[in-house]
Amino acid sequence: ARTHARTHTHSRTHTHIHAHACTLPLFLQGALWHIYSATDADKIREFFRRSETSNSALDPIHDQCYYLDDALRQQLRHQMGVVGFEIVQCLGDAVFIPAGAPHQVQNLNSCIKVAEDFVSPEHVAQCVSLTDEFRYLTEEHNNHEDKLQISSIIYHSVKEAVAALLPVPST
C-alpha cells in the first residue's frame, strides 16, 4: 500500500528507520524520500502559494498541503531553482533529516517506521527560527505549541557547560 506524507518540516533534527517490510521483492520495499535544504523553505512556500489551489491563509509546508510529484518537482526546479535530494530507503536504513529541511516520503509498501527526534548543535539556530515561525500559526494548529522547548534546552546546555568550566571548590 503506497502512502504519502505531504511536504512538511520539523523544528528538530530527526531520524527515520525503516523497521519492517512485507514479503515483496527487495526492489519494491522501502520508502522514497525527497529532502530539501532548509534554506529553500521560503522558495518552496512561494512555489506552493503561486499554485491555483493555494489557500493564502495556510502555511503550505507546516500544514502539509501538498505532495510534490514528478511534474511538480520539475516545475519547482525550473521556476524556483530548487533541487532536493531523492533517497530510496530500504529495510534497516536510517534517514537523517536536518531541522527545518522540508521533506516528504512515499512508502512503497506497508511498513513500520521508528523515528527519533533530537537537537543537534549544528541546527540550534534553525530550531529557534522554526519555533518562532510556529508561534504565528493559529491556536488550533498542531505545531502552534512549543513542543521542543528550545529555550530550555539552550539554557540547560549552557548551564552545564559553564558548570564544567568553573573550578571545583577545594574543601
Side-chain angles (χ1 to χ4, degrees), residues 69-84:
D69 61 16
D70 288 336
L72 287 174
R73 286 193 306 276
Q74 285 182 2
Q75 287 178 17
L76 179 63
R77 184 179 314 115
H78 294 300
Q79 293 176 17
M80 307 303 283
V82 174
V83 178

Side-chain angles (χ1 to χ4, degrees), residues 2 48 55 66 68 75 87 120 125 129 131 135 141 144 161:
R2 290 182 182 222
F48 286 143
N55 180 342
Y66 300 93
L68 292 163
Q75 287 178 17
I87 298 170
S120 67
S129 175
T131 298
R135 281 193 195 121
H141 198 282
H144 179 74

Side-chain angles (χ1 to χ4, degrees), residues 1-87:
R2 290 182 182 222
T3 58
H4 297 80
R6 295 177 177 165
T7 305
H8 63 284
T9 188
H10 296 282
S11 61
R12 65 256 174 228
T13 301
H14 58 283
T15 309
H16 290 269
I17 300 172
H18 193 80
H20 171 74
C22 63
T23 57
L24 293 171
L26 282 177
F27 68 92
L28 295 175
Q29 295 183 24
L32 177 63
W33 290 86
H34 295 97
I35 304 171
Y36 298 90
S37 171
T39 58
D40 288 330
D42 287 336
K43 290 180 183 177
I44 294 170
R45 273 189 191 90
E46 178 63 28
F47 175 77
F48 286 143
R49 287 184 174 133
R50 288 181 185 175
S51 80
E52 60 277 353
T53 59
S54 177
N55 180 342
S56 61
L58 302 175
D59 182 300
I61 293 177
H62 296 316
D63 293 333
Q64 300 183 31
C65 297
Y66 300 93
Y67 181 84
L68 292 163
D69 61 16
D70 288 336
L72 287 174
R73 286 193 306 276
Q74 285 182 2
Q75 287 178 17
L76 179 63
R77 184 179 314 115
H78 294 300
Q79 293 176 17
M80 307 303 283
V82 174
V83 178
F85 299 92
E86 185 172 275
I87 298 170

Side-chain angles (χ1 to χ4, degrees), residues 143-165:
N143 285 328
H144 179 74
E145 181 184 342
D146 181 11
K147 297 173 191 162
L148 183 59
Q149 299 185 353
I150 188 67
S151 297
S152 293
I153 291 172
I154 293 170
Y155 169 77
H156 289 289
S157 297
V158 170
K159 184 176 84 172
E160 290 293 319
V162 169
L165 294 173

